[in-house]
Amino acid sequence: MNTTTVTARPAVRAGRRGHALLWAAQIVLAAFFAFAALPKLAGAHSAVTMFGQIGAGQWLRYLVGTAELAGAAGLLIPRLAGLAAAGLAADMAGASVINAVVLHSGAIAITVPLCAVFTLIASCRRERIRDLAAAITRR
């Protein structure tokens, strides 16, 4: 019987490729959310009108814009990427509910998939989230 040696090279390549794709997605999403946050923070008429329709007040526009900008920056910092993705997943979950229930907007077709993508990124970065939590709780 002839035996062959199996090496881990394909798994290593797949792991590197997956890691590179994850970072590429994070970079694209960070740019997208940085640009999405700017109109909210700058007080663009469309953002002011939309948050007026929500009815919670303009403070929510500033909060969401700041959270999105911070999340975009966090996606680019390896130690914070998982936590930023989790925060943006929560942001998109809230946006999905608001779009469906309050605004009756078709934007839910974007917010739900983004929520899923950010949840996937946070899941892939869960070790970093644990490391960060452990570093914060150390005394």
Side-chain angles (χ1 to χ4, degrees):
M1 182 176 257
N2 198 359
T3 61
T4 58
T5 305
V6 177
T7 62
R9 285 188 181 263
V12 171
R13 284 189 190 127
R16 286 183 189 157
R17 192 173 304 130
H19 185 70
L21 286 172
L22 193 59
W23 273 109
Q26 287 174 222
I27 291 166
V28 169
L29 288 166
F32 178 80
F33 271 82
F35 284 114
L38 293 178
K40 292 175 184 88
L41 295 173
H45 179 69
S46 59
V48 171
T49 301
M50 180 178 64
F51 280 88
Q53 291 172 342
I54 293 170
Q58 294 300 310
W59 65 270
L60 184 61
R61 175 175 55 88
Y62 289 111
L63 178 68
V64 170
T66 302
E68 288 177 352
L69 191 58
L75 284 175
L76 302 175
I77 301 169
R79 191 169 190 169
L80 299 177
L83 188 60
L88 287 169
D91 179 50
M92 289 297 95
S96 296
V97 170
I98 294 298
N99 280 311
V101 176
V102 179
L103 299 176
H104 308 289
S105 169
I108 194 167
I110 295 170
T111 58
V112 169
L114 282 172
C115 182
V117 168
F118 283 125
T119 301
L120 178 63
I121 292 171
S123 175
C124 291
R125 302 287 187 214
R126 66 185 170 273
E127 286 298 319
R128 289 288 193 157
I129 295 172
R130 284 188 201 123
D131 293 345
L132 184 59
I136 290 170
T137 58
R138 274 189 218 132
R139 294 179 188 186

